[in-house]
Amino acid sequence: MEKKTLDFPEEMNPPVVVQESGENLDLCKHKEEEDEDMFLSVEKISRLPVSIKFNIPKKIATKRRRKSEEEEKKAKLSSGDKVLRSDEILRLRKVSRQKYMKNREKKKVDEFRDQIEDEVLLNDGVKMTEKEVTEFRYKKKLYELLKKTEDDDVEGYRIPDAYDQEGCIDQKKRFAVAKERYCERRSGRGVTEQEAWEDHQAQKARVSFGAKDKKGVVDGFEFVFDDLKGLVEEYSEAESGKHRGCYSKTVGEKAREERELLPIHGYREELLKLIEENQVLVIVGETGSGKTTQIPQYLQEAGYTKRGKIGCTQPRRVAAMSVASRVAQEVGVKLGHEVGYSIRFEDCTSEKTVVKYMTDGMLLRELLTEPKLDSYSVIIIDEAHERTLSTDILFALVKDVAKVRPDLRLIISSATLEAKKFSEYFDSARIYLIPGRRYPVEKLFRKWPEPDYLETVIRTVVQIHQTEPIGDILVFLTGQEEIETVETNLKRRMMDLGTKGSEIIICPIYSNLPTELQAKVFEPARKGSRKVVLATNIAETSLTIDGIKYVIDPGYCKINSYNPRTGMESLLVTPISKASAEQRAGRSGRTGPGKCFRLYNVKDLEPTTIPEIQRANLASVVLTLKSLGIQDVFNFDFMDPPPANALLKALELLYALGALDENGEITKVGERMVEFPVDPMLSKMIVGSEKYKCSKEIITIAAMLSVGNSIFYRPKNKQVLADTARMNFYVGTENVGDHIALLRVYNDWKERNYSTEWCYDNYIQSKSMKRARDIRDQLLGLLNKIGIELTSNPNDLDAIKKAILAGFFPHSAKLQKNGSYRRVKEPQTVYVHPNSGLFGVSPSKWLVYHELVLTTKEYMRHTTEMKPEWLIEIAPHYYELKDIEDTRPKKKQRRSERASTSKVDTNKKTRTSKVDTNKKAKR
DNA sequence: GAGCACTGC
């Protein structure tokens, strides 16, 4: 009580500022100078679009200061603030009249600047008009004149910062002040600020019961964010131990000591108690709380490992590896002994392993052999909010397992936005909040979407470069094409600007970029220059770049969605979700306070992205479920059920492939197929290769196809050379298709001893080839496991093509008169993809293709010529003679064909619905 | 003559 009145009079508490999105940006409890700055800057955030800002000195603002209070209220309302009660305002004034006036001043300055900006905005997107240029000059002049009279030494134009009345406060200084305060407190009172803070936080972290206490959860969570202030530096030092110079202690010792500095440390006992008492616990642990590394250790220390392993899933391989290595260090054991990880192609565990990190897909695979997870005592599903296909399936499966195993503990770790949903899903499981730790990120945004965001991106980069303190810039773009466009335009712009100012180094990064070119992103920029990273979504979660201080986020990304009706995939440029926006902004606050320039308004965004399970091809998912003995996939306990027609399509396909029988139960073939971690059509192709004595070739092709479309590298300036190199794999007497070409690429590479140089010479990505080799090795092992003999038939291309058709017979297409193709079983026109070796050569009449993609047209990717009679030979249950009949009289036959097709369709439907009914009956 | 974000088993 005393503390409160003495140090922080209540009337001095800044008002709670709510951004338009509803987030509480600043909830400082202590009245300090920077609080007011923060208040101002937050207020600015809610009103200022990002563009050239003019720093108008106080003078103008002073003139406008004496406006009525009503107007002030209005202004506050319009900026999204909660209006202060008028008595509070009066008291506030009493206490700090002068300061308040200064704030007013600033506010009015901002308003004035807004007016100017609105005018600038009118000309936004278009190139500089005469009017704009004149205005620009005029304002510059005005500014300079005013500057003379004001004793202000700020030069030029800049984006508003968290400034005080004198201008821009250096963020570092700001934190130095905060730290000073922290030191003072420590000496002045018995309680250190850290202790006080921990006390405070301990009250904040609260347990809530499912959705019943939603408000509490949200409030509590948002509360814990930002009052770290003075502690931020303390903590970050602890966290980034590797950056510290002196190593008098061993790395392990240091790591162990640092454990105690993590925010989660204070909640250890409470957390353990909760886990003991509750079978399922949803944990909201913010970035930097230490949950991923600490919880498994706490559980181990509490003796959980006596009953079984502690498994912790991660959505990404690198995460599983690096976290495991960190924990092994902290515990002081060798990685792979007591602490290990398990990812595809790499099992770094032993019999001793009690804490096991793994990818979510890996746990799903383990469930196939160990349905009750008997060897585990605790399962932690980390980053559950990312909602990968695997985690979504895992949710339902572990929920089921938990019912039959009361001793099993389940911890679901998620970000705020979805915590409530997870809790509801797990039968109102408890939610526990652990505060995180991170640097503050100032968010500036546009009220309206940008008409030409690439241009705005370039302008913002230039502006940051000219007006903001040193620090690298990260720009989020949707794809390679955009990255290349921005790169060339930005270079041009920088040239136009001449030599004044320091240089910028542009680093593009996207997953298809060869590794050696990707490395450039991680090199620190030369002294005096600034790095500008142009990245796709890869920089959102997958890789972290040090030194980023500014993030420019246009708010879009490409999302893959699968259309079950047409069986076609397409990549769509889509607005990101609020969750993504937060994640992107956070990328600027990793090593120090950051700034994020949003070229959109957060309030226009959806809260979360559509989960993958609702937009993916489900063939593989359904086969996995069937193999786990889940009969009724329609009533499976999905957190967000996928569309019914997507499930139906998957069932139909699996039935056609022979993986399911007419009752919808998994067959022998299906059991074999499920062993292979590839798409069901590919696994059927592998299983089918046994018959054609070419399993060796087929697993190579399957591996190459699994890698995707990143085998051939096609740099912009060497396209012709790259294309010529690619066509070398197609030469031969026969019409070599894309599948055979891929086989040749692999075999040639193997012949050259897997040479990287050979890859360079042939415009092939060695990274992809190495991946293909890994996959092939794995497939080889599995072939052995299920007892398919490794046979080779390299010269019988027909045998290989037939084996391909064994899996891909539904993907057949026939040439039409106009040169396009038509799918045999679906009334759909498709085209050979321009990247195919069959593109532009004398067309083959019948083709089998690997996949359909919708870009500018409906394209077949990876196609190979085939003979129509093979369709009947291989898939007599699927094709009739009519389907492949060559010549026919025009009208009559067509009608009959249509009739027969629809008949087949009806048959299929009845079959499927029969499958369904049976399942329901069984249930 | 088009163009492919990112993961995972």
Side-chain angles (χ1 to χ4, degrees):
Chain A
M1 193 57 206
E2 193 196 9
K3 179 175 102 189
K4 210 170 187 183
T5 39
L6 266 182
D7 292 359
F8 323 109
E10 207 176 287
E11 54 270 29
M12 289 187 77
N13 282 349
V16 172
V17 180
V18 182
Q19 212 192 12
E20 284 167 60
S21 65
E23 300 158 82
N24 282 0
L25 283 186
D26 184 31
L27 293 169
C28 312
K29 279 279 133 201
H30 316 307
K31 175 67 182 173
E32 296 287 340
E33 268 189 36
E34 83 268 16
D35 292 343
E36 199 137 320
D37 300 334
M38 178 65 92
F39 161 52
L40 277 170
S41 90
V42 170
E43 186 182 336
K44 273 198 286 286
I45 290 167
S46 60
R47 291 192 293 125
L48 282 187
V50 185
S51 73
I52 298 174
K53 310 283 192 295
F54 298 86
N55 185 28
I56 308 298
K58 305 171 221 175
K59 214 167 185 180
I60 302 166
T62 323
K63 284 180 193 165
R64 292 156 186 257
R65 191 158 60 193
R66 295 170 198 91
K67 284 199 177 178
S68 69
E69 191 149 322
E70 279 72 26
E71 203 184 281
E72 183 225 332
K73 270 190 181 176
K74 248 190 224 168
K76 275 185 180 287
L77 262 177
S78 69
S79 63
D81 297 353
K82 282 184 187 165
V83 185
L84 288 174
R85 288 211 319 273
S86 60
D87 57 340
E88 275 174 342
I89 293 173
L90 285 172
R91 279 197 293 154
L92 183 68
R93 279 193 167 169
K94 238 182 198 172
V95 179
S96 59
R97 174 115 199 149
Q98 198 181 7
K99 215 148 181 121
Y100 173 74
M101 284 311 194
K102 281 184 178 176
N103 292 342
R104 279 290 291 154
E105 221 170 73
K106 285 210 57 55
K107 203 162 162 186
K108 290 299 156 190
V109 172
D110 292 342
E111 269 172 24
F112 183 76
R113 186 167 43 207
D114 270 358
Q115 287 168 16
I116 299 162
E117 262 172 22
D118 283 346
E119 283 169 40
V120 176
L121 266 173
L122 285 175
N123 303 317
D124 203 10
V126 232
K127 58 179 179 181
M128 289 274 257
T129 59
E130 243 176 61
K131 187 189 164 198
E132 195 182 330
V133 173
T134 325
E135 202 170 62
F136 192 89
R137 282 190 190 135
Y138 165 71
K139 263 143 199 169
K140 196 174 173 182
K141 217 170 187 177
L142 177 69
Y143 171 72
E144 275 162 3
L145 278 170
L146 286 162
K147 203 178 73 176
K148 261 184 202 167
T149 59
E150 289 289 321
D151 242 357
D152 207 325
D153 57 357
V154 181
E155 266 185 58
Y157 313 101
R158 59 181 176 74
I159 301 164
D161 198 333
Y163 32 80
D164 70 358
Q165 282 66 33
E166 307 311 317
C168 174
I169 285 190
D170 185 11
Q171 294 281 15
K172 268 191 189 158
K173 268 192 209 160
R174 215 174 116 190
F175 280 90
V177 170
K179 217 177 163 184
E180 211 174 271
R181 186 183 70 207
Y182 156 67
C183 296
E184 265 172 30
R185 292 261 167 71
R186 188 192 282 275
S187 55
R189 273 190 272 123
V191 188
T192 66
E193 181 164 327
Q194 168 143 12
E195 282 156 4
W197 177 79
E198 273 170 4
D199 246 28
H200 177 67
Q201 293 299 83
Q203 287 162 15
K204 292 286 159 47
R206 66 179 76 166
V207 186
S208 52
F209 209 83
K212 289 171 200 161
D213 197 6
K214 184 201 165 193
K215 198 168 175 292
V217 175
V218 174
D219 289 346
F221 173 77
E222 292 188 340
F223 222 47
V224 297
F225 263 87
D226 270 327
D227 31 359
L228 299 177
K229 301 290 171 206
L231 297 154
V232 171
E233 286 201 343
E234 288 295 292
Y235 275 131
S236 70
E237 276 172 27
E239 188 171 52
S240 56
K242 57 178 177 174
H243 296 306
R244 284 203 276 183
C246 58
Y247 271 85
S248 52
K249 293 170 188 167
T250 66
V251 186
E253 273 174 295
K254 201 128 213 159
R256 282 193 288 280
E257 272 177 26
E258 283 165 5
R259 281 186 66 189
E260 296 180 11
L261 289 168
L262 286 166
I264 195 174
H265 183 68
Y267 312 112
R268 186 180 184 275
E269 303 312 320
E270 199 179 351
L271 200 54
L272 284 172
K273 190 167 163 262
L274 276 167
I275 293 168
E276 190 55 47
E277 288 167 2
N278 298 279
Q279 190 178 21
V280 187
L281 188 64
V282 175
I283 289 182
V284 176
E286 257 307 310
T287 322
S289 64
K291 59 176 189 314
T292 312
T293 54
Q294 301 310 304
I295 294 176
Q297 291 187 61
Y298 295 166
L299 292 168
Q300 190 261 328
E301 287 155 9
Y304 279 85
T305 49
K306 285 173 199 152
R307 291 189 255 156
K309 280 179 287 189
I310 293 161
C312 179
T313 71
Q314 294 291 320
R316 275 168 296 278
R317 294 162 51 90
V318 232
M321 278 163 67
S322 56
V323 173
S325 128
R326 169 80 191 182
V327 172
Q329 209 176 67
E330 285 181 8
V331 179
V333 296
K334 211 174 159 224
L335 183 62
H337 288 197
E338 283 82 1
V339 180
Y341 66 90
S342 172
I343 56 178
R344 189 182 184 182
F345 313 130
E346 221 181 310
D347 186 5
C348 187
T349 59
S350 62
E351 281 172 14
K352 280 196 265 179
T353 305
V354 287
V355 175
K356 181 173 172 181
Y357 289 92
M358 61 192 127
T359 44
D360 45 16
M362 211 64 203
L363 185 62
L364 199 56
R365 284 271 140 190
E366 276 188 25
L367 267 161
L368 289 177
T369 49
E370 198 186 306
K372 283 188 182 170
L373 295 167
D374 295 308
S375 65
Y376 291 91
S377 61
V378 185
I379 294 286
I380 304 168
I381 299 180
D382 204 0
E383 314 284 353
H385 56 274
E386 288 198 25
R387 305 291 305 273
T388 66
L389 206 51
S390 304
T391 33
D392 261 29
I393 301 162
L394 277 177
F395 290 150
L397 295 176
V398 292
K399 189 179 168 184
D400 252 16
V401 174
K403 281 176 192 150
V404 292
R405 277 197 54 198
D407 59 310
L408 184 75
R409 287 293 175 268
L410 223 53
I411 299 169
I412 313 293
S413 145
S414 127
T416 6
L417 284 165
E418 292 208 85
K420 183 196 149 208
K421 191 170 181 178
F422 286 124
S423 159
E424 272 172 8
Y425 178 76
F426 286 99
D427 305 320
S428 301
R430 288 191 163 207
I431 301 175
Y432 190 66
L433 302 147
I434 301 164
R437 152 222 307 167
R438 59 180 189 189
Y439 289 95
V441 173
E442 195 180 349
K443 292 158 196 160
L444 304 150
F445 68 90
R446 289 282 213 189
K447 276 181 189 162
W448 300 282
E450 292 297 320
D452 179 3
Y453 66 81
L454 292 188
E455 171 59 23
T456 316
V457 160
I458 291 166
R459 284 170 53 179
T460 314
V461 169
V462 172
Q463 192 188 339
I464 293 173
H465 184 55
Q466 291 178 339
T467 60
E468 292 279 321
I470 200 76
D472 298 338
I473 305 170
L474 171 62
V475 186
F476 283 101
L477 298 166
T478 62
Q480 185 179 349
E481 197 186 353
E482 271 187 19
I483 288 175
E484 281 165 359
T485 313
V486 170
E487 187 177 1
T488 45
N489 290 352
L490 186 57
K491 272 182 185 157
R492 198 176 301 145
R493 190 69 59 90
M494 291 309 287
M495 294 242 279
D496 291 348
L497 285 170
T499 46
K500 59 178 177 183
S502 53
E503 69 170 328
I504 61 169
I505 298 161
I506 303 172
C507 307
I509 185 149
Y510 43 90
S511 76
N512 261 358
L513 192 75
T515 327
E516 54 278 13
L517 295 175
Q518 282 188 5
K520 195 178 152 195
V521 172
F522 300 104
E523 291 164 13
R526 272 195 301 277
K527 212 183 169 193
S529 62
R530 195 195 292 269
K531 201 161 72 177
V532 178
V533 180
L534 307 177
T536 58
N537 243 5
I538 194 170
E540 193 177 301
T541 46
S542 306
L543 56 88
T544 320
I545 305 152
D546 281 335
I548 297 295
K549 197 168 172 179
Y550 309 98
V551 162
I552 302 173
D553 178 15
Y556 293 99
C557 68
K558 276 187 184 168
I559 282 200
N560 193 357
S561 61
Y562 172 80
N563 181 339
R565 196 178 54 78
T566 55
M568 213 162 343
E569 283 188 336
S570 53
L571 278 172
L572 296 172
V573 174
T574 323
I576 58 169
S577 64
K578 273 182 192 164
S580 285
E582 277 309 303
Q583 179 70 23
R584 286 180 173 192
R587 293 319 227 176
S588 66
R590 281 196 65 259
T591 42
K595 262 191 192 181
C596 178
F597 299 85
R598 290 174 169 167
L599 311 188
Y600 53 88
N601 194 335
V602 196
K603 73 171 186 203
D604 299 334
L605 301 180
E606 294 291 326
T608 50
T609 319
I610 298 170
E612 199 183 352
I613 199 153
Q614 293 187 330
R615 46 185 174 84
N617 179 354
L618 298 176
S620 182
V621 171
V622 171
L623 186 61
T624 310
L625 293 180
K626 289 282 181 182
S627 141
L628 283 163
I630 289 144
Q631 276 308 310
D632 185 1
V633 290
F634 289 93
N635 288 307
F636 183 65
D637 190 11
F638 291 109
M639 190 169 197
D640 287 302
N645 63 342
L647 286 169
L648 197 65
K649 200 81 184 175
L651 284 169
E652 279 179 13
L653 175 71
L654 291 171
Y655 174 68
L657 290 175
L660 302 180
D661 62 18
E662 61 276 15
N663 297 321
E665 275 168 36
I666 195 160
T667 60
K668 280 262 163 58
V669 177
E671 296 282 8
R672 295 178 100 185
M673 281 165 62
V674 88
E675 288 292 327
F676 296 95
V678 291
D679 186 81
M681 287 173 102
L682 281 173
S683 58
K684 178 64 198 295
M685 171 176 104
I686 297 169
V687 173
S689 70
E690 191 179 23
K691 185 177 171 188
Y692 301 98
K693 305 276 172 226
C694 56
S695 55
K696 197 175 173 184
E697 284 76 28
I698 286 298
I699 56 165
T700 308
I701 293 171
M704 291 292 276
L705 287 171
S706 298
V707 168
N709 54 335
S710 57
I711 302 278
F712 297 103
Y713 178 52
R714 211 162 170 259
K716 238 185 178 172
N717 46 353
K718 288 172 188 164
Q719 288 187 351
V720 184
L721 283 170
D723 287 347
T724 332
R726 187 161 51 94
M727 287 318 284
N728 281 337
F729 297 102
Y730 288 86
V731 288
T733 46
E734 275 191 82
N735 196 348
V736 179
D738 296 324
H739 295 87
I740 307 291
L742 287 176
L743 176 65
R744 287 184 178 182
V745 170
Y746 187 87
N747 286 340
D748 283 10
W749 180 57
K750 191 178 174 184
E751 242 170 62
R752 298 301 182 98
N753 269 324
Y754 309 111
S755 148
T756 311
E757 206 176 304
W758 178 88
C759 291
Y760 276 123
D761 295 345
N762 290 283
Y763 292 88
I764 280 161
Q765 298 215 39
S766 60
K767 188 172 62 173
S768 304
M769 292 306 294
K770 280 172 192 150
R771 193 175 151 72
R773 184 173 59 180
D774 283 339
I775 298 174
R776 190 182 178 279
D777 287 346
Q778 191 187 24
L779 295 178
L780 191 67
L782 292 167
L783 217 55
N784 198 25
K785 184 182 165 192
I786 66 162
I788 293 177
E789 203 190 334
L790 189 67
T791 44
S792 176
N793 205 346
N795 296 317
D796 189 353
L797 293 191
D798 278 6
I800 296 172
K801 286 179 185 175
K802 279 184 184 178
I804 294 170
L805 220 49
F808 286 86
F809 61 85
H811 287 180
S812 56
K814 190 190 176 216
L815 183 69
Q816 297 185 118
K817 278 221 175 91
N818 62 3
S820 67
Y821 284 81
R822 192 179 177 81
R823 294 180 64 184
V824 178
K825 275 296 190 188
E826 308 277 342
Q828 191 178 22
T829 302
V830 290
Y831 303 85
V832 174
H833 197 281
N835 280 1
S836 163
L838 300 188
F839 183 81
V841 298
S842 64
S844 316
K845 202 157 194 178
W846 295 85
L847 291 180
V848 57
Y849 61 85
H850 177 239
E851 60 183 353
L852 277 186
V853 286
L854 177 67
T855 51
T856 48
K857 267 181 178 177
E858 293 85 357
Y859 285 114
M860 300 178 279
R861 208 141 64 181
H862 296 126
T863 50
T864 288
E865 186 190 25
M866 58 139 176
K867 294 200 174 79
E869 54 269 29
W870 293 346
L871 291 176
I872 306 286
E873 180 192 327
I874 291 161
H877 59 293
Y878 197 78
Y879 289 100
E880 295 168 273
L881 266 177
K882 288 187 196 98
D883 293 324
I884 60 157
E885 262 167 8
D886 212 13
T887 47
R888 68 192 83 164
K890 277 183 182 168
K891 274 188 179 171
K892 271 189 181 174
Q893 192 103 27
R894 235 180 235 165
R895 204 174 294 131
S896 70
E897 182 200 42
R898 218 176 287 143
S900 78
T901 323
S902 65
K903 198 176 148 199
V904 171
D905 275 348
T906 336
N907 280 344
K908 237 195 280 172
K909 265 175 206 153
T910 21
R911 277 201 299 255
T912 328
S913 56
K914 192 181 155 198
V915 169
D916 254 321
T917 338
N918 282 344
K919 265 177 288 156
K920 271 179 191 150
K922 274 194 184 167
R923 206 163 175 269

